[in-house]
Amino acid sequence: MQIRKRNEQDVAVLLDWGKIDHLWVRSTFHPLDRELLIDAYSEQWFLREGDQVTFTVAEIGLNTDDDAILFCNGRNRTNLIYKHQPYIPVSFPDGIPCHKEIQGAIIKVLETGDAVELPDLPVLSVTKLRELAGEK
């Protein structure tokens, strides 16, 4: 699947999330219980232009006060992908933080249009996801 960044000036990378997940867990907005997630993508995470479909990567940052990962957007998609595989594409709006653990988790730098492997899951509408989650 080809990726896209929400903002072209962001720096996108493929991360070994297992090396930094603990930085998210200590955040105020820690991850939801991964086992409770519905195994499906939201259609809002993809952009279709003609025959081409791209996946919009999450935007993350780092709170240096407590070494915690912060999300501009993409908490759920990051959590869902990590439930199924260790490598996750994300972008940093302010450039890659000079943080030893984040630097050590980078597999490679990505550009819009680069292909990454994503779990083979269905893409559902927001309405269908809410229905499956029991929301009205």
Side-chain angles (χ1 to χ4, degrees):
M1 171 66 59
Q2 291 184 329
I3 62 115
R4 71 180 282 274
K5 302 177 280 187
R6 288 174 55 93
N7 299 299
E8 201 50 46
Q9 70 273 14
D10 291 358
V11 178
V13 297
L14 186 65
L15 291 175
D16 181 342
W17 197 263
K19 292 182 177 181
I20 62 167
D21 190 53
H22 66 281
L23 299 176
W24 184 10
V25 171
R26 73 172 67 152
S27 166
T28 306
F29 298 103
H30 57 275
L32 304 170
D33 184 345
R34 291 182 179 106
E35 295 310 312
L36 298 178
L37 289 172
I38 296 167
D39 286 330
Y41 298 107
S42 169
E43 66 184 359
Q44 293 181 324
W45 302 341
F46 296 86
L47 177 66
R48 180 180 297 278
E49 294 179 321
D51 292 338
Q52 186 172 355
V53 178
T54 55
F55 177 75
T56 306
V57 298
E59 290 176 300
I60 69 172
L62 182 72
N63 178 342
T64 55
D65 291 339
D66 59 3
D67 273 355
I69 290 175
L70 302 174
F71 281 82
C72 302
N73 68 58
R75 262 180 17 148
N76 290 333
R77 76 191 84 160
T78 298
N79 214 12
L80 176 66
I81 295 169
Y82 187 57
K83 179 180 175 183
H84 296 278
Q85 70 183 39
Y87 302 142
I88 301 177
V90 298
S91 67
F92 294 97
D94 299 320
I96 300 170
C98 294
H99 186 276
K100 182 179 177 181
E101 290 175 274
I102 290 177
Q103 293 284 331
I106 296 172
I107 305 300
K108 66 179 179 177
V109 175
L110 301 170
E111 297 296 333
T112 292
D114 283 352
V116 297
E117 188 172 323
L118 294 175
D120 186 18
L121 300 171
V123 178
L124 302 178
S125 68
V126 172
T127 303
K128 184 64 176 176
L129 286 168
R130 287 185 176 147
E131 179 184 305
L132 290 171
E135 296 178 20
K136 294 186 180 196

